[in-house]
Amino acid sequence: TCVNNVAQKCRRRGDATRRGKVPPKSARAGDEDPLARDIARAKQCHAWVSELVSTLVMSIYPGAPFERRCTALDLLNGVAESWMSADGVADAAGIDETDLNDDLRIARDLLTSPYVMCTNKACTDMLLGALVDSWEKLRVTAFALLRRHPSPLAGLETPALLEARLTWAMDLLHSPRLRESDAGALLIRLLIRKYAYDMRWDIQLSPTIKVTPPKADGTPRADVGAHVLESMCDLLAHDIALAEADVMKACRQSLAHGAILLTRYAIQEINFVTEKTDALKAALRRMMALMTRATELALGFISQPDALGATAEEVKFESGGFDDDMDDDVADDDTMDDDTTDGCDLAPRAQIITTACWLTVKEISLLTGEVTGATATADMLSLDALKSAGERLFNVLFTVKHTGAMEKTRIGTTALCARLMRSNDAALNMLPQQWLDELVTQLRRPGQGVRDRVRRSAGLPYAFMSILLAEPRGQTRAALERVLPQLLDVAAAPDGSESENIPRVHAFNVIRVIFADRDLSVETTAHAARGLEVCIRAFSSPAWETRNAATLAFASLLTKVCGCMNISPRRIRDGYVSSRREVSVVEFFQRFPSLHAYLLEELATATSMMTAESSMSVSSVHPSLYPTLALLSRLTPSSSSCDNEGNDAHAAINVKLSPSAFIPSVLTCASAKYLAVRAAAARALRPLVPPTEVAAHIASVLSPLSDAHEPPRIGCNTAHGALLCVHELLIEACCSSSSSSAMMWDVVRAASNGLTACAKTAATVRVPLISAAWLRCAEATALIANTFLVNTDARDALGDDGTFHELVLMMWQCSAPVLSAHAEHHPGASEWNKAAAGIRVRIALSCDSAYREYRYGRLCKTHDEWFGDDIGDVTEAIIDALGANTPYEYRAQAYKALFHGGDHLPIADETKEFVRNALQHEERHSVIRRAIRVVTEWALGMSEDGDHHLLFWRVVLDITVNNINERVRSEGMCCLARLCAAQLRIDAVETVSSGRLNGFVRMILDGCDPSASSEKRKAAVQALSSSKLLDFVQGDRVEDEATGALAVDLWRCMLMLIEDEDVDIREIASETASSAIESVRSGAQSEEVLRAIFQHVHTNFAQFEVAMAFMVDLAKGLSYTRSQFDHILARSTNIRRLFDKEADNAHAEPLFLAQLAAKQMHASCDAKTAQCALDEVMETLTNMKDALEAFANRDSRWVGGVTAHEDCFVPIANALIGAWAFEARIGNDDNERRERLQALYTALSPFVAPALRVLMRVGDDVFADDVFASVSPCFLV
């Protein structure tokens, strides 16, 4: 903006001077120019933007990372958009160049866009390369930028050149892979825009490509759209005819997908309002007819029964499948018997055909929606055409079973229906409603079989949604209000035969999709209550398919009415985090009052059935029990204030809809025979009890379990269910945000009294599940006391309470390892081991079960005052819990509790020695991993005068090297890092010089490999960060070659990790490197860190041979023989296997590292090393030159030539950068090598892209007026 303002001032003053209104500058030479400073600043800004444009152009080099290319293209678009509007203002007055004065010349120069220099052939080719990239965002951004280029595009000025480019683009268009076909379609769309519309050239794409310049009179602007659409129809007709003659050959070219995709893009260039002609209408009619032919052709292959429910990768040719629909000459082809690959090694034949047909059908559906939407205002399609298009789309939905095809067809159908609903024509407006009625009829039609249920009723839900989503927003959705009650009626129909039940299955599948849709969430709320009732009733259906569909619909409704199930918001470990989508139980029944009576009735029926069958020794569960309990458990408790607020009428409603009515039935379910029912009932009880009544309910539930009853009057199932209920209530009390200290005191006292009274029953019963539940209840009680009762009065009152003291001692006694033998071979033994071991260790460490900073000792003045001598020796207790004679679940949980709290208290040497010995003999991976984690937590706190570090180092290193479990090895690597840091703190010199770290560093280097698993790479970066090795290997501490090699290996690891594909790994690596290099600020961008690393390595380790070798190898790149580079040239194409994956690390940039290394070598490299390296580079360049010289079609292989392909560009660029760096260091008298290099440059120059020729210049001025004028060989740095 500032540049434009200054330029406009200069233009106005220059124009006034030319007209004589202002004296010329020469006449007022003695006066100071008031615009001089502004002009100087504007020129600086203009020059800076020009420099930026040059840098951005080089940043889109072939093979650049996605983020770099995308950012560069976005910025170039910004420059082009901000300056293009000002171009030509300086010449608006029609003044000749000779008549321009100084002011007008300045204005012209400032108003000339810096992007203009990017419109030459070299830059255009680079942008065209980005246009055919595999990343969709890059393609779209490059397309938007190329549209700003003047017509014709540079390098495509003649019909012959345009035909060659169109031929190459058609090859891309006919690729069976969507990435290439979309790139080809975008490229052809660009060329049609530039040449057909802007220059009125006639472009013919089929049967042969032919470009004809315009005649003298030219093609009228209104007829261009018709000519383009007719050309698209010719191409589509040609592809359809090929498929009808030879389906296999056509499917290798993606059948008609490419032509239809191109047609969809071409439609977007047509203005149907201004170009509304009879020829365009005729072309539209022809296109709609061709789309119908293509649909019928493709559906014939993907609607076969053998292909139902299969993905493209799974489809195989089988008898009676695809072969039956092929022409005889194709089916009789001998090659058809081989279903492995096709002739071009593309994919198995069935996959080729299936993929091509699916893509064709999907694209036809999208094109239909595009056409109907684009022609809505022009009214160019008749009623019959629109009706036929809709029927064709619905036919696709009823035929295809492929989810992607159905989703795209749904999008096209929604666009069509939206266009019809907006129409003022009553006949058009009624079509969606007619189709909706036909869908209901289709859903209810008799005689349906199992094939109609494939993939959740296949396209039927998509068909309904395509109409419902087409209704305008903000208005009453009449179609939804009409059809949803009908669907619920069908779903609520009584059971019948299998064919009679299929409409119910369809209805449930449609209901599931409707209730799950966000756009319809408000309108469907009114029907949610009935939907839940219908789903719960359907759980009683004898037909499995009905129950299954009802389950899926119920899950969708449950999410809608209760919100998403958050990630354990009430877990003790995580604390309480409220969710906006949580629904309280009172709020739920106020929103859906009819569900209160219905759920209460269903629950009463289920419990009465369970009670009656229990007395008859019959075991079954009422079908509605689980969904009812599941719904209740998803709600949250309501405070008493919420229950009683408002007037008397509101209070009466609250009493009528009180959640407490469910409590008796839920408690009855808690004593059920099945564990799953008891657990579900306990979860359902939690929201029904308000916080103020938790203490009373705990006392009531625990009362029947009291040891005062001799023997206990309840069974094991009832006892276990009661304890589960108490545990859920305790967790809810702990998480409740409305609980006061007084309420918590009542809860702790009630739970302590009740649990102490039933302790004997829980400890002596031979059911481990009961004992485990008692232990968890007791620990939850202690947690509440420890977390909430922290004031002096509460602490003193609790300390005086002998019941709570007794409860804690009972927890200690009932979790003894010796009791694991009694639990062995009994159901629930694993659960008891996990509960007992954790409690045992946490009490021994006086550490809370969830938060490290809280301890049981917090409730009293000292640990000894609380426990006295009742616990005994803590060290012995911990060792007993970790003993090999205990079950592995007990040991694993003990280790887990130990690493969660063991670093806060001094750990005895006996415990450490025991753990070290146990590690050498342990066989269970889970136990080993947790034991190593314990050692990791201990590492930094170990005594500096002992030998624990070294002893543990040997044990953990042996496990990390030899264990077959990757998680164990990763944990071992992190542990070794902590031990390494501790040893460096004690005696760094001895630790490094001993050589014991070499294996550890090699382990990290192996873990940094990009092909390693994510867990292994994350362990490597954490190990590198925790070991503090980078802080040690600084310049003055590295004195010998061995230590220098260690340092270089560590920085190699860091380079790979900063270039990792995982953003978390990159962040940790960058932060670690920043902390080791003083000149880098914390949180620096990764490129800044990489630059600092190379500078740091060169400054501190350049004297070591290994460091120089590392830099030299990066700078010169890989060496290639002639045959190796021939192979690279051969694969520099868009031809891939059908399901080949692209490189998934979009962040790595080897050329950037090469330039950083080359910059260091260019500044300081000894002559001998430079000469050897330059000889290797020249040998590689010679091999590349020979391969390129002999390679056929090198100019037409890729846009801009084969060297513009990323597979070919990067190795050539790396070699040229290395040659530039080493040539400067070979010595002034080594003219022979310089001459050889210059001769090699001269021979190689004609075969490479302009961006590569930039790297070969040696002081010449051939790029002075080009965008590459200021580009350095190290253009990224």
Side-chain angles (χ1 to χ4, degrees):
T1 302
C2 64
V3 176
N4 182 68
N5 291 338
V6 175
Q8 294 297 341
K9 291 179 181 179
C10 292
R11 184 188 65 81
R12 288 193 293 269
R13 192 175 69 176
D15 187 59
T17 301
R18 189 184 65 84
R19 298 176 184 273
K21 296 181 179 181
V22 176
K25 186 180 297 185
S26 59
R28 42 187 171 86
D31 300 334
E32 182 181 356
D33 188 357
L35 294 179
R37 296 181 62 185
D38 292 339
I39 291 173
R41 284 195 296 266
K43 287 183 176 180
Q44 291 177 353
C45 291
H46 193 280
W48 182 85
V49 174
S50 300
E51 182 73 20
L52 174 65
V53 168
S54 178
T55 302
L56 293 176
V57 169
M58 290 304 297
S59 294
I60 60 173
Y61 70 89
F66 166 75
E67 293 176 354
R68 182 184 295 279
R69 301 179 80 182
C70 194
T71 303
L73 287 173
D74 284 336
L75 291 175
L76 285 173
N77 259 309
V79 173
E81 182 176 2
S82 60
W83 246 284
M84 281 296 186
S85 59
D87 284 350
V89 175
D91 301 325
I95 307 171
D96 295 335
E97 177 71 21
T98 57
D99 295 334
L100 289 178
N101 54 40
D102 291 341
D103 285 333
L104 289 178
R105 288 192 179 93
I106 292 173
R108 182 195 59 187
D109 294 340
L110 291 179
L111 290 174
T112 300
S113 173
Y115 185 77
V116 169
M117 59 183 176
C118 297
T119 58
N120 58 19
K121 182 181 185 302
C123 293
T124 301
D125 285 344
M126 293 184 71
L127 290 174
L128 288 173
L131 180 64
V132 296
D133 194 86
S134 60
W135 291 86
E136 182 179 5
K137 185 176 181 180
L138 281 180
R139 297 197 298 266
V140 174
T141 310
F143 174 80
L145 190 55
L146 283 166
R147 286 195 67 165
R148 304 180 187 276
H149 283 221
S151 302
L153 296 175
L156 299 176
E157 295 86 356
T158 65
L161 293 173
L162 181 59
E163 288 177 359
R165 181 63 69 236
L166 282 170
T167 302
W168 185 78
M170 288 294 291
D171 291 338
L172 284 176
L173 183 71
H174 285 133
S175 170
R177 299 195 346 149
L178 181 59
R179 293 167 181 165
E180 285 83 19
S181 60
D182 183 73
L186 269 179
L187 178 53
I188 298 175
R189 176 187 177 184
L190 174 69
L191 299 178
I192 289 175
R193 174 77 260 175
K194 291 296 179 183
Y195 294 91
Y197 282 92
D198 295 349
M199 300 181 65
R200 304 293 193 270
W201 287 21
D202 182 52
I203 298 178
Q204 176 183 315
L205 299 177
S206 180
T208 58
I209 295 175
K210 184 178 180 181
V211 176
T212 306
K215 299 178 181 179
D217 51 353
T219 304
R221 180 66 177 82
D223 294 337
V224 174
H227 281 284
V228 170
L229 192 57
E230 194 65 33
S231 180
M232 298 298 106
C233 292
D234 291 340
L235 178 62
L236 181 56
H238 177 269
D239 288 349
I240 294 175
L242 176 62
E244 291 171 344
D246 188 342
V247 68
M248 193 64 219
K249 182 177 179 181
C251 287
R252 287 193 184 101
Q253 300 179 5
S254 196
L255 209 142
H257 168 255
I260 298 170
L261 175 61
L262 176 58
T263 304
R264 181 162 66 88
Y265 284 161
I267 288 289
Q268 299 173 16
E269 299 291 341
I270 300 176
N271 188 330
F272 286 93
V273 176
T274 60
E275 301 181 37
K276 184 178 179 181
T277 62
D278 294 337
L280 187 58
K281 289 184 179 181
L284 278 174
R285 288 194 297 269
R286 183 187 176 195
M287 184 189 69
M288 299 295 281
L290 289 171
M291 290 163 59
T292 301
R293 280 179 60 192
T295 302
E296 294 173 353
L297 177 64
L299 287 181
F301 292 100
I302 56 177
S303 62
Q304 299 299 320
D306 292 334
L308 294 184
T311 64
E313 294 89 342
E314 299 168 347
V315 171
K316 300 292 183 183
F317 274 122
E318 295 182 9
S319 59
F322 290 108
D323 295 334
D324 292 343
D325 292 291
M326 293 183 182
D327 292 342
D328 293 337
D329 56 340
V330 178
D332 293 339
D333 189 355
D334 293 338
T335 60
M336 294 301 294
D337 296 332
D338 179 14
D339 191 35
T340 56
T341 59
D342 70 342
C344 63
D345 196 29
L346 183 63
R349 299 176 182 280
Q351 292 181 7
I352 295 173
I353 291 181
T354 305
T355 303
C357 292
W358 278 340
L359 288 175
T360 298
V361 169
K362 287 193 293 185
E363 206 56 54
I364 289 174
S365 301
L366 292 175
L367 176 58
T368 303
E370 186 74 33
V371 170
T372 54
T375 59
T377 56
D379 194 22
M380 300 187 68
L381 294 175
S382 65
L383 171 63
D384 292 338
L386 292 172
K387 184 176 181 180
S388 175
E391 291 172 350
R392 170 164 48 78
L393 291 175
F394 283 111
N395 180 48
V396 171
L397 289 173
F398 294 146
T399 306
V400 177
K401 312 299 179 184
H402 182 254
T403 304
M406 291 187 292
E407 175 59 28
K408 295 298 186 294
T409 305
R410 199 277 303 163
I411 295 174
T413 310
T414 300
L416 171 60
C417 292
R419 180 250 189 274
L420 296 174
M421 290 180 178
R422 293 193 304 266
S423 175
N424 296 325
D425 190 335
L428 293 177
N429 203 262
M430 287 299 296
L431 275 179
Q433 187 59 56
Q434 295 175 12
W435 289 335
L436 191 62
D437 294 339
E438 292 174 4
L439 288 177
V440 176
T441 304
Q442 171 80 5
L443 182 144
R444 289 176 167 174
R445 79 180 193 278
Q448 299 183 66
V450 66
R451 290 289 178 186
D452 297 284
R453 300 199 314 264
V454 172
R455 286 185 179 263
R456 315 291 181 217
S457 301
L460 197 56
Y462 292 93
F464 275 95
M465 292 301 296
S466 65
I467 299 177
L468 299 181
L469 292 177
E471 292 188 282
R473 295 184 180 183
Q475 302 179 16
T476 302
R477 295 185 180 267
L480 177 67
E481 294 298 329
R482 177 179 179 181
V483 78
L484 189 52
Q486 297 182 47
L487 293 172
L488 291 172
D489 291 340
V490 175
D495 292 302
S497 62
E498 180 179 358
S499 60
E500 294 173 344
N501 286 333
I502 290 179
R504 295 188 67 191
V505 175
H506 289 328
F508 277 120
N509 289 332
V510 176
I511 289 170
R512 170 181 58 86
V513 176
I514 291 176
F515 279 111
D517 192 271
R518 292 183 179 181
D519 293 336
L520 305 178
S521 58
V522 176
E523 291 81 358
T524 55
T525 301
H527 304 276
R530 191 188 174 203
L532 285 170
E533 294 181 16
V534 171
C535 290
I536 293 175
R537 286 196 180 96
F539 278 70
S540 303
S541 173
W544 173 87
E545 56 269 21
T546 302
R547 297 195 304 272
N548 180 61
T551 303
L552 297 173
F554 177 79
S556 176
L557 276 162
L558 198 60
T559 302
K560 175 179 176 59
V561 299
C562 298
C564 296
M565 182 178 288
N566 296 283
I567 302 175
S568 305
R570 301 182 180 85
R571 291 177 62 179
I572 295 178
R573 181 176 9 180
D574 300 328
Y576 179 72
V577 180
S578 180
S579 171
R580 291 181 302 172
R581 297 202 63 184
E582 287 185 337
V583 180
S584 70
V585 63
V586 171
E587 178 188 0
F588 175 80
F589 286 124
Q590 286 177 350
R591 290 175 60 189
F592 308 106
S594 62
L595 286 177
H596 186 277
Y598 174 75
L599 294 176
L600 191 60
E601 180 184 357
E602 288 295 316
L603 193 58
T605 302
T607 53
S608 61
M609 171 183 171
M610 184 175 58
T611 304
E613 292 182 346
S614 176
S615 61
M616 297 183 294
S617 300
V618 179
S619 55
S620 63
V621 178
H622 193 277
S624 64
L625 180 59
Y626 281 119
T628 303
L629 295 177
L631 192 154
L632 294 175
S633 66
R634 292 285 291 274
L635 304 173
T636 59
S638 298
S639 63
S640 57
S641 60
C642 294
D643 294 339
N644 299 323
E645 66 181 2
N647 52 30
D648 295 340
H650 188 77
I653 294 175
N654 282 345
V655 171
K656 183 179 179 181
L657 302 177
S658 173
S660 60
F662 292 88
I663 293 179
S665 298
V666 171
L667 289 175
T668 302
C669 295
S671 61
K673 177 178 180 181
Y674 297 105
L675 172 61
V677 176
R678 298 197 298 272
R683 292 192 297 269
L685 178 66
R686 181 173 57 196
L688 303 177
V689 180
T692 55
E693 301 178 14
V694 170
H697 277 81
I698 288 176
S700 174
V701 171
L702 289 177
S703 177
L705 276 67
S706 173
D707 295 335
H709 304 133
E710 294 289 348
R713 299 176 181 177
I714 60 175
C716 292
N717 292 335
T718 303
H720 181 246
L723 291 171
L724 290 179
C725 291
V726 171
H727 185 244
E728 293 291 338
L729 291 175
L730 289 171
I731 292 178
E732 186 58 47
C734 182
C735 299
S736 176
S737 59
S738 60
S739 299
S740 62
S741 296
M743 293 168 57
M744 290 296 100
W745 164 242
D746 293 338
V747 170
V748 171
R749 183 166 49 188
S752 299
N753 292 334
L755 291 172
T756 304
C758 66
K760 181 179 179 182
T761 301
T764 58
V765 68
R766 298 190 60 83
V767 180
L769 280 175
I770 295 179
S771 301
W774 186 90
L775 286 172
R776 295 199 183 279
C777 290
E779 186 178 29
T781 304
L783 173 62
I784 294 175
N786 189 41
T787 306
F788 289 91
L789 307 182
V790 294
N791 61 73
T792 304
D793 296 336
R795 187 165 59 244
D796 293 342
L798 189 61
D800 296 336
D801 193 328
T803 304
F804 183 77
H805 186 191
E806 183 181 357
L807 177 65
V808 176
L809 293 179
M810 287 181 177
M811 291 166 57
W812 174 259
Q813 295 166 0
C814 292
S815 60
V818 68
L819 297 179
S820 62
H822 299 284
E824 193 174 2
H825 305 306
H826 287 276
S830 176
E831 180 67 18
W832 183 88
N833 286 325
K834 294 177 181 179
I839 290 174
R840 184 80 172 179
V841 174
R842 283 190 284 270
I843 293 179
L845 297 174
S846 299
C847 182
D848 181 79
S849 62
Y851 305 100
R852 299 184 180 184
E853 62 269 22
Y854 299 143
R855 307 184 180 188
Y856 293 138
R858 181 181 181 180
L859 301 174
C860 56
K861 296 179 180 179
T862 66
H863 179 275
D864 293 335
E865 180 184 344
W866 178 258
F867 292 108
D869 297 327
D870 296 320
I871 287 184
D873 185 68
V874 172
T875 300
E876 183 179 350
I878 293 178
I879 291 176
D880 289 343
L882 304 176
N885 56 340
T886 58
Y888 86 91
E889 297 100 332
Y890 197 101
R891 299 196 304 277
Q893 192 66 28
Y895 277 117
K896 185 176 182 179
L898 202 57
F899 72 67
H900 272 310
D903 57 337
H904 288 270
L905 293 176
I907 304 298
D909 290 343
E910 293 86 350
T911 305
K912 297 176 182 177
E913 183 178 358
F914 178 84
V915 171
R916 187 177 66 250
N917 294 330
L919 268 174
Q920 301 179 61
H921 302 94
E922 184 60 61
E923 296 180 355
R924 292 279 184 170
H925 296 316
S926 59
V927 180
I928 296 174
R929 189 176 68 253
R930 294 179 179 181
I932 292 177
R933 178 75 178 275
V934 170
V935 177
T936 304
E937 298 295 331
W938 289 348
L940 294 180
M942 290 183 182
S943 175
E944 294 187 3
D945 57 355
D947 58 352
H948 290 294
H949 296 101
L950 186 56
L951 295 174
F952 272 114
W953 175 275
R954 293 169 181 168
V955 174
V956 176
L957 181 63
D958 180 69
I959 293 174
T960 307
V961 171
N962 298 317
N963 198 282
I964 63 174
N965 187 277
E966 183 170 326
R967 295 184 65 189
V968 171
R969 296 197 301 271
S970 299
E971 193 67 56
M973 197 184 307
C974 296
C975 180
L976 290 173
R978 285 286 187 93
L979 293 171
C980 174
Q983 293 179 59
L984 290 175
R985 190 178 66 249
I986 297 171
D987 190 349
V989 176
E990 191 278 333
T991 300
V992 175
S993 61
S994 65
R996 74 173 70 105
L997 297 182
N998 295 338
F1000 172 58
V1001 174
R1002 286 195 299 270
M1003 197 180 301
I1004 296 178
L1005 193 59
D1006 179 63
C1008 297
D1009 191 280
S1011 62
S1013 65
S1014 175
E1015 184 173 8
K1016 190 174 182 179
R1017 300 196 316 275
K1018 187 169 293 186
V1021 71
Q1022 290 172 349
L1024 196 57
S1025 176
S1026 303
S1027 66
K1028 306 301 180 183
L1029 275 169
L1030 290 176
D1031 297 333
F1032 170 76
V1033 288
Q1034 300 296 339
D1036 55 342
R1037 297 180 180 177
V1038 181
E1039 300 176 350
D1040 54 27
E1041 192 71 30
T1043 310
L1046 181 70
V1048 172
D1049 284 343
L1050 290 172
W1051 287 112
R1052 285 175 59 197
C1053 294
M1054 189 56 64
L1055 291 176
M1056 287 190 287
L1057 292 170
I1058 294 178
E1059 293 266 287
D1060 194 85
E1061 63 179 334
D1062 194 327
V1063 63
D1064 295 332
I1065 294 177
R1066 296 200 301 269
E1067 289 178 355
I1068 298 174
S1070 295
E1071 192 62 33
T1072 303
S1074 301
S1075 64
I1077 304 176
E1078 295 181 357
S1079 61
V1080 183
R1081 71 184 191 281
S1082 177
Q1085 204 266 348
S1086 59
E1087 282 198 11
E1088 181 181 348
V1089 176
L1090 289 173
R1091 295 167 189 259
I1093 289 175
F1094 275 87
Q1095 182 64 40
H1096 177 80
V1097 172
H1098 185 265
T1099 302
N1100 292 275
F1101 313 117
Q1103 68 272 24
F1104 300 113
E1105 182 180 348
V1106 64
M1108 290 301 296
F1110 170 64
M1111 289 284 191
V1112 168
D1113 288 341
L1114 276 179
K1116 67 185 180 64
L1118 297 176
S1119 298
Y1120 291 94
T1121 64
R1122 167 70 182 276
S1123 60
Q1124 289 174 335
F1125 202 73
D1126 283 337
H1127 177 68
I1128 289 179
L1129 292 175
R1131 74 183 187 187
S1132 298
T1133 178
N1134 62 303
I1135 297 176
R1136 297 284 191 275
R1137 284 186 59 81
L1138 190 57
F1139 295 106
D1140 276 356
K1141 295 182 179 179
E1142 302 289 339
D1144 53 1
N1145 187 358
H1147 190 80
E1149 189 171 14
L1151 202 57
F1152 180 67
L1153 301 183
Q1155 292 188 21
L1156 288 172
K1159 186 176 180 181
Q1160 299 298 332
M1161 293 296 96
H1162 185 270
S1164 60
C1165 178
D1166 63 275
K1168 183 178 180 180
T1169 302
Q1171 290 169 1
C1172 294
L1174 184 58
D1175 289 340
E1176 294 182 22
V1177 171
M1178 286 193 294
E1179 182 180 357
T1180 298
L1181 288 173
T1182 301
N1183 293 331
M1184 291 177 173
K1185 185 263 298 182
D1186 294 340
L1188 286 169
E1189 190 175 11
F1191 188 70
N1193 302 324
R1194 57 176 173 268
D1195 294 331
S1196 60
R1197 183 81 168 187
W1198 192 257
V1199 56
V1202 69
T1203 56
H1205 192 281
E1206 61 182 79
D1207 290 345
C1208 191
F1209 182 93
V1210 173
I1212 297 177
N1214 200 337
L1216 292 174
I1217 291 168
W1220 165 81
F1222 298 124
E1223 187 267 342
R1225 306 299 303 179
I1226 59 176
N1228 295 329
D1229 56 346
D1230 198 347
N1231 295 323
E1232 187 270 336
R1233 281 189 173 86
R1234 286 191 173 88
E1235 292 175 358
R1236 286 171 50 204
L1237 182 61
Q1238 291 302 318
L1240 184 57
Y1241 282 168
T1242 303
L1244 183 62
S1245 179
F1247 306 129
V1248 298
L1252 291 173
R1253 289 199 292 272
V1254 174
L1255 308 180
M1256 293 188 287
R1257 64 181 176 181
V1258 187
D1260 54 6
D1261 202 31
V1262 294
F1263 297 97
D1265 298 327
D1266 197 87
V1267 69
F1268 303 122
S1270 59
V1271 172
S1272 164
C1274 291
F1275 54 86
L1276 295 175
V1277 298

